Amino acid sequence: MNSVPLVLPFTLSAGDSVLEGSSDAPSCANVLIDRASTITDVSCLTPYWLRSGLESSSGQQLSSSDSLEGVALGCKDGTLYLLRQNRHSSSAPISIENPLLSRSPSRTAVRLSHRSHSRPRTPTSSLAPFSLTSRARVVSAISDEQAQGSKNHVDFDEGPEKLKELLKGGVKDSSLTDRRRPSLDQTASTERQPVQSKGLASAPGPAPRGEGKSVLNTTHSPTPSIASPPSTPSSPFCPSYQLSLEFHTFPPRSIPDNAVIGLHPLVNSRHLICLRSQGDLSVYSVDDGSCVLSLRIPQLPAGPPAGAKGVEPSEATWTWRDLFIHETGESAIILTSAVINEGITPDLSVDSEGSNQDQLSRVSVFELRDNTDHGDGDLSLDKAAEWLVEGPSAGIGLRTGGDDTPKFFHLDPSNHLIVQRVVLVPTVIQSQSESQGDSSGMARASLNPFKASQEHNAFPGNRGEACRLTLEDSLDIGELKPSQRLKGLRLFFTRERIRGVAWSDSELYGFESDSQQLVINQLRAAHEELKDITWFSWDTYFSVYSDRIQVSRLRLVDPNNDRLPDGRSSGILQSYVVGTVTIQATQALYALSPTSVLSTGISNTGRRQVELFTIIPSGENRKEWAPTTLWKSCDKVKKVSDDTRRITCLLPLELTHMILGYSDGTIGRSSFPNLVQLNSVLAPGDFSDIPLNGSVIGLHVVQNDQTGERLIVGGADDGSVAIWSLESMKTLARWILFIVPLQRVLYLRYDKGGPLGGCLLCVSGDGTIAVIALDNYSFLYMVPGAPAPLARIYVGGNNLLLSYADDRARLWDVKTLEFWRSMDLEKTKDQLAQGGWTELSLRDSPPMGNVPTALSVSSPDSSSTILVDLGSFLTRAVSISKSTAGDDHSTRERTAEVLRSLLQVLLTPGLNLDIDAICRDRLGLPATQASVGFYRNQASTLIVSGNSQSPWCISGEVSASRALALIACLRALMHFGNTTDHVNTVIAFYATSLSHTVGRGYVPPSLSSLARWWFDASSMSHLCYFFSARLPSSRRWRAFCFTDELRLAARTLFDAGVAGLTDEETISLVDKWQHSLPFLLPDAERRSPVASKALLLCGFIAADQHSLLSTSALNIISKSVMIYLHENDVSCKALAIDLCSRGFSVWQHYVDSMEMLRSLFNLATSMKKESISAQNVGPQARQAVLHIVTDHTGIFMTTLSLDILHPQNLEHRKSVMQLVAFLIRKKPLVIHPNLPKLVEAVVKSLDPNSTSHRDAVLDAATEILGHVVKTFPTIDFHMASQRLAVGTDEGAIVMYDLKTATRLYVLESHKQGPAACSFSPDGHRLVSVSLEEGVVFVWKVGSSFASFFNPGAPPRQGHAGSEPFKSLNFNVGNAAVMTLEETLEHVRFEWTAERSVQLRIREVTLTFST
């Protein structure tokens, strides 16, 4: 299950007055995300689709076969922007006729490449082996004259003057430079669709003889269909475009030069595959922009296929450049390729003799599985193989063959085209214990990271890493023989033929192959700006340039240029252009179909836009490309001049103390509550005095270990560095040091840094290190960087060892300032093995704990966003609320202020006026412009909110995260004042009323997500108990704060979610998940997250609504609970214990109920040494025992008594007796009806005939009897005679002899159960009282001569019969009327002498002589 804390990104005030209005203005995130999208540089673009029968995100059922739902933009800073259909637009999804739904993203910023699994439009059969003849002659193609798209359209935000010029007779085109120059003048008052103007018709040149209609004549242009979706409140921020910007998603790790180079939407699921240039492969949800999965390709070992060469991973050696996808049902094959970084010498694990490393590529293959059968579509991504390919890197790809199987193709060093079928073998299931062992091993890595990475990154052929991929049916298609180095190769398959296009800087080749020969033709001269080529069909392809896309067709002609009939397999391959769309100032292009092209770029006014270019009729037999603006960045952002102070970075020390960096080179001091408020203003003393020359983009805090002074070290975008005093905000020193801005600051203590003690190491983005002395704030010297990124820094004595990502290292003498030597990996390991080195971490720490963190990507929205670990904050907040220390009052007030500020952001005012009034007037929670996003798998997603409803209309995961945080914070707020009633009202509204209030678009919290949080919080309760035992008794409760607030919030939402399900939905949910229950899975999969989640969901529903489920389902669930009770994994045990507590009445009918209870007994009383740890589930098991004994007393007590009398072993008997003592302390009223039976079992356990058993349980039995006598007045013990008297509900008093562990006799005279009994000090008398009868009996119980002749008989009482020695009546009126619980407290005997006793009944005291 997910063990990541509840972390959320909060976007705070923009700080530069960019918002118009006040409380009704758009949120900060809306404005900042919009601005960030404008200034970013997009590297790739892809659409994603709504398929037939699927519903749109707004709930509309679509009738078109394929509709454009949204567009994803990948950027050079590694982030993603997701645009979706505008919920506030009157237009239905955009229908595209004959779209290419399956293409791979292009490798460059402006390009289009094939999706590897496109289905061919020609008949297909299996690919036959080829018998190749010699290469055919090269024949020139026909004319490539092109039609130019219209340039005379006007965007109304370009001003009225241009419109006037157009009306007068034309518009002069703005230059490319002007179009690319960003302008932030966005004062236009109205945003309108651009005018579709006439342009030049397509002019392909002389048509080949025999040629029919072109593709432009046979394909109709798409027209967006208009529908009327359900009305929703309009957004003041969203223009009425067909798309709206919804999400800005940040990568799991933010490092320089990690651009998005590939985006690919999965046709069979709602996910995007994203590849970044440094090998980060991620899967994103298009519903909420969240990162579902992410991995770093270099870090995962995998072996090569048979006959291929393995490679030793090295992060800096390779740059990833291509992404290919092949989808089959619920899985997809992902192929990535990488090339060697320029300027860095790789350390490859292949014999490079005779090999040109410029012709080496690294190929990695993954299998992505969509486990939809497990309920919520959990994805798994496994690396199947990795190997080196020798040959031109541009000749590598993956494509679906004519037989629907994936085909891997590449060019070998001799330029022969090789095609191979890719086959994956099934995944070998690894047990969780093995997986956990690997993980723990990584956590215990030594200081020398190379020692661990050596085993991990060893040559696959030597380390025996599994390879799950085979390359079969290898075919040598033939030799291409390009005259220049190829820049690209694209193939199209049918069952019997292959057609391809290859290009270099100046040549474009087409070739075709069948079973007889390979025919190659030079199609036309290529242009150096040709970026990519994508196939649409057997005879149609696109050529992508930096500013245009050409649609071309292929045909076979004879030497006379006459078209050959269809079906001919030989001839001269010719290409001609049938259409061209020219797009100025574009950053990325994507061809949807032969008549539709997507583009994104910056408009003349400096606004990001996404346009759809389509072909429309223009006069007789003329067609032209016309643009439609699908989205443009909003005009609600005011003009921002260079002098405006804007937040450019954040350094959160605490939520009450945050340092802000500004665009004017100054820094300021503020707090989370201050930044949340509308129109917050900092005091003059909270700003620094002397500004830097650039914008502050990095802040760090260090503490001088000699003076204790805390300092701020910051860097600006011009390479300058400054030091400020944290207390006074005064500038202490500043320098211009770097070309690339400051990235890290490391401080070495005076006592541990040697010559560098007391110095700062300021590391720039290119690895250059500036050394600054803190004692006098002086710059000492500079250590230059290297071509590869800096990976690690080690300090030892007078030496500084810098390790780089290409496995090279440099050794410097910091005392003499000399460079000693450069060394490879082996020598570096030897150097570190000598000892005496201290590593300085360069890694970003995850957002966990009480200190919030900032996003490391530099953009307007990320610069105002912090990550808050709400779980840790709530733990501390509730702890502070209960503190009684006098000096904690101010801390309590500050904490309450922060908690209210968090709630201001989490709430969504505008849904209900009464709730808004309670929040504003009663709880002190006014509206704010700050906003909250979503955090998943260490990746943050910032969300554009259109209105109050929109945050609840995104996805079940987002709704669950926000609702969980909101309710947990509201529960914590109850600890800070008398607000319980108001808080409970708000909680009830957000837990149960959102569906009705939000309306049709509402997406309820995902039960799967809530189950994860509930499971995590519940399974952590034993950790809290363990650590609380080590705290002072007055603070022990604090360890339970986090678990209680988060678990109860998840429980509240889970209960509401299940209650909101119909009977059919409940049955369907169980049917979907029951196949993943542990009882039905192999042993290796029983502890998987999916199995745990399935048991929690099904078990919870079965415990509360078992009547809806089948006997078979209940049987499987019950047995799964039993399996988890006996698992070694602590989380599994915790889940099983919780379910036993909830549903024992159900499970007992399908499993051995006594065995289930015995398992709980063992867990509740385990005292083994290995159990005394942070993973002890004993406290949770004891709570479950208390719950079960209350509702199922009969079977519980029967099991308990049997286990005492007939234990499995001695250890088990001791455990059960400890449990009895625990129950007596916690549940005396539940134990009382079965008390005589329980005491008799304890007495018999002291059998003197079994000396070893008696000695083993003596202490436990003594403890139990001590608790019994102290708790229950109906039982008394006389130490000297070792007699034990036990009163029963039937009115009898049973006398036991503990010396012999036998029952001596029974005294019977009471007609009602006695309320108390007591021995006299000498042990010769026993008194008992019955309140119902109003009588006290006195019994002689001492040893007598007659007892030797009649053992087992009660002593003679001085007269005949069994009557007591004395009978004393009394009447105390109503004082004797009391409950059983009251008798335990208010009825007591007290002996004042050997024969005088006092009976106390409440305040009444009666004295009797015995």
Side-chain angles (χ1 to χ4, degrees), residues 264-319:
H264 192 295
L266 294 179
V267 175
N268 298 322
S269 68
R270 301 183 58 77
H271 296 96
L272 286 169
I273 309 297
C274 174
L275 177 65
R276 295 181 174 87
S277 59
Q278 294 199 27
D280 294 355
L281 184 63
S282 305
V283 182
Y284 291 90
S285 167
V286 300
D287 291 324
D288 53 30
S290 64
C291 180
V292 181
L293 285 173
S294 184
L295 55 84
R296 296 171 63 183
I297 297 176
Q299 288 190 337
L300 295 179
K309 297 179 179 180
V311 58
E312 180 177 351
S314 179
E315 293 183 45
T317 302
W318 303 95
T319 295

Side-chain angles (χ1 to χ4, degrees), residues 1060-1077:
L1061 297 175
T1062 64
D1063 291 350
E1064 292 76 12
E1065 290 172 334
T1066 301
I1067 296 172
S1068 175
L1069 182 65
V1070 174
D1071 288 343
K1072 180 180 292 187
W1073 282 92
Q1074 68 175 338
H1075 303 292
S1076 301
L1077 288 168

Side-chain angles (χ1 to χ4, degrees), residues 1148-1162:
Q1148 65 176 338
H1149 300 294
Y1150 301 96
V1151 296
D1152 187 341
S1153 57
M1154 288 190 174
E1155 181 62 29
M1156 179 174 282
L1157 287 173
R1158 289 188 179 102
S1159 299
L1160 285 175
F1161 294 169
N1162 290 333

Side-chain angles (χ1 to χ4, degrees), residues 763-803:
V763 184
S764 71
D766 62 359
T768 303
I769 300 176
V771 181
I772 297 174
L774 272 191
D775 52 1
N776 56 1
Y777 306 114
S778 60
F779 167 69
L780 300 181
Y781 52 86
M782 193 87 73
V783 179
L790 181 63
R792 300 176 183 89
I793 299 178
Y794 299 91
V795 176
N798 297 332
N799 298 321
L800 181 67
L801 181 62
L802 306 180
S803 173

